[in-house]
Amino acid sequence: MFSGMEVAKILRDNGYKVTPQRLAVYDCLAHTKSHPNAEMLYRALQPQFPSMSFATVYKSIEILNRLNLVKVLNTGEESFRYDADISNHQHIQCIRCGRVDDLRMDASAFVDKAEKESGYEIKSEEAYFFGICPECRKKSAN
Amino acid sequence: MFSGMEVAKILRDNGYKVTPQRLAVYDCLAHTKSHPNAEMLYRALQPQFPSMSFATVYKSIEILNRLNLVKVLNTGEESFRYDADISNHQHIQCIRCGRVDDLRMDASAFVDKAEKESGYEIKSEEAYFFGICPECRKKSAN
DNA sequence: CTCTCTGCAAAATTTTTGCACTGCT
DNA sequence: AGCAGTGCAAAAATTTTGCAGAGAG
């Protein structure tokens, strides 16, 4: 998680211009835990940038992702979700309400085993769990 | 992995008709290790069913998936991939050539830990590893 | 002042849907 | 014979692209 000034510096140092839109996309991702998709980001940025287009949302994310400032999540829904937390962690999604939460577990033993068994040189890893979140469990009263 | 007759029985027992297209989609998935997407399936079935449409591919997969005969994979590509191996296993994709391989590791300890840490009631789990496959490692000669 | 970025609209992709016709049971 | 399934084309939904004008460095 970086400050606006840090993000600006990273953009500048990599030859990208620092625009309010790019900073706002990062800022939005950095200040939410909801792992939004492009549409949620677009809607969240509308009040501040009424003229902003989806193209800019996607182009901003592409750059932020290339600079390793945001991660792309893939929970199996129609659209991708995005996360400004680039530390190694896993995700868990509620199959009732759709929310996505973070999970922090040390997966290095799992990765090492996968590397040995597959013969691949592993560069990254994504783990998704699916189930029923504490709130939905309460609601269903079983 | 089921035989054609077993799949036919499962379809019939669940009120779905047994059609050559549905059996062929399952058969195609059961006899490949390449984890094809809809287009690969469509092309593979063309010789046998020149009139078959994408609609039928997707509709067949939807039913097979609902009957828990095939699994939907999400490696972060544009399209979904499908797998007739419904046993608990993980997947690893080569970031050079795009191939997807199976990996069989016991993840139950990982799942238990996730369940405790998240408070979720976990129903399923997907783990994807990304790296460079043995063949591509040889080619790059490092 | 230059050159990248934005915003718009159109394009490209993947997947879904509606409907007439076919064919399984 | 009845009704679900197929195939086609059109629709949806998400993401990408081209281009003219705006704005960052």
Side-chain angles (χ1 to χ4, degrees):
Chain A
M1 234 58 118
F2 299 95
S3 71
M5 279 182 53
E6 289 170 312
V7 174
K9 180 169 167 39
I10 294 170
L11 283 168
R12 206 176 294 119
D13 289 354
N14 283 277
Y16 295 106
K17 301 227 161 152
V18 178
T19 68
Q21 289 90 335
R22 288 176 185 171
L23 294 178
V25 168
Y26 181 82
D27 197 62
C28 193
L29 283 170
H31 289 86
T32 180
K33 292 187 143 228
S34 66
H35 307 88
N37 59 23
E39 198 192 341
M40 292 153 93
L41 274 173
Y42 175 77
R43 281 211 302 261
L45 294 168
Q46 275 300 105
Q48 209 185 335
F49 297 91
S51 72
M52 193 188 222
S53 66
F54 268 100
T56 301
V57 173
Y58 281 112
K59 286 169 185 169
S60 298
I61 286 167
E62 204 221 313
I63 289 167
L64 293 172
N65 181 51
R66 192 181 311 154
L67 297 179
N68 205 28
L69 289 167
V70 311
K71 238 180 165 175
V72 180
L73 306 188
N74 236 327
T75 57
E77 297 166 299
E78 338 60 60
S79 54
F80 291 108
R81 287 171 176 260
Y82 307 99
D83 192 347
D85 183 350
I86 52 161
S87 66
N88 277 337
H89 65 286
Q90 301 82 33
H91 293 93
I92 185 163
Q93 181 169 40
C94 180
I95 55 180
R96 292 267 170 81
C97 66
R99 64 180 287 176
V100 175
D101 286 311
D102 293 305
L103 216 47
R104 272 159 216 298
M105 302 189 293
D106 178 21
S108 51
F110 207 46
V111 174
D112 289 348
K113 205 171 153 196
E115 193 153 56
K116 278 196 196 74
E117 294 207 3
S118 66
Y120 275 60
E121 180 186 335
I122 294 181
K123 301 284 193 182
S124 68
E125 163 258 340
E126 300 286 330
Y128 296 97
F129 298 89
F130 301 92
I132 304 172
C133 73
E135 269 122 73
C136 288
R137 290 176 77 177
K138 267 180 236 152
K139 279 183 213 145
S140 43
N142 0 317
Chain B
M1 231 61 117
F2 300 93
S3 72
M5 280 184 53
E6 289 170 313
V7 173
K9 180 170 166 38
I10 294 170
L11 282 168
R12 205 177 295 117
D13 289 354
N14 284 278
Y16 295 106
K17 302 225 160 151
V18 178
T19 68
Q21 289 91 334
R22 287 176 185 171
L23 294 178
V25 167
Y26 182 82
D27 197 62
C28 194
L29 284 171
H31 290 85
T32 179
K33 292 187 143 229
S34 66
H35 308 87
N37 58 24
E39 197 192 342
M40 292 152 93
L41 275 172
Y42 175 77
R43 282 210 302 261
L45 295 168
Q46 276 300 106
Q48 207 185 338
F49 298 91
S51 72
M52 192 189 224
S53 64
F54 268 100
T56 301
V57 174
Y58 282 112
K59 285 168 184 168
S60 298
I61 288 167
E62 203 221 314
I63 289 166
L64 293 172
N65 181 51
R66 193 181 310 154
L67 298 179
N68 205 28
L69 290 167
V70 310
K71 237 179 165 176
V72 179
L73 306 188
N74 201 352
T75 59
E77 297 165 300
E78 337 60 59
S79 54
F80 291 107
R81 288 170 174 262
Y82 308 100
D83 192 348
D85 182 350
I86 51 160
S87 66
N88 279 336
H89 65 286
Q90 301 82 34
H91 293 93
I92 185 163
Q93 180 168 40
C94 179
I95 55 179
R96 291 267 170 81
C97 66
R99 65 181 286 174
V100 175
D101 285 312
D102 292 307
L103 215 48
R104 271 160 217 298
M105 301 189 292
D106 178 20
S108 50
F110 207 46
V111 174
D112 288 348
K113 204 172 153 194
E115 194 154 56
K116 279 196 196 75
E117 293 208 4
S118 66
Y120 275 60
E121 180 185 335
I122 293 180
K123 300 285 193 183
S124 68
E125 164 258 338
E126 300 286 332
Y128 297 97
F129 298 88
F130 301 92
I132 303 172
C133 73
E135 270 121 72
C136 287
R137 289 176 77 176
K138 267 180 235 149
K139 279 182 214 145
S140 42
N142 352 319

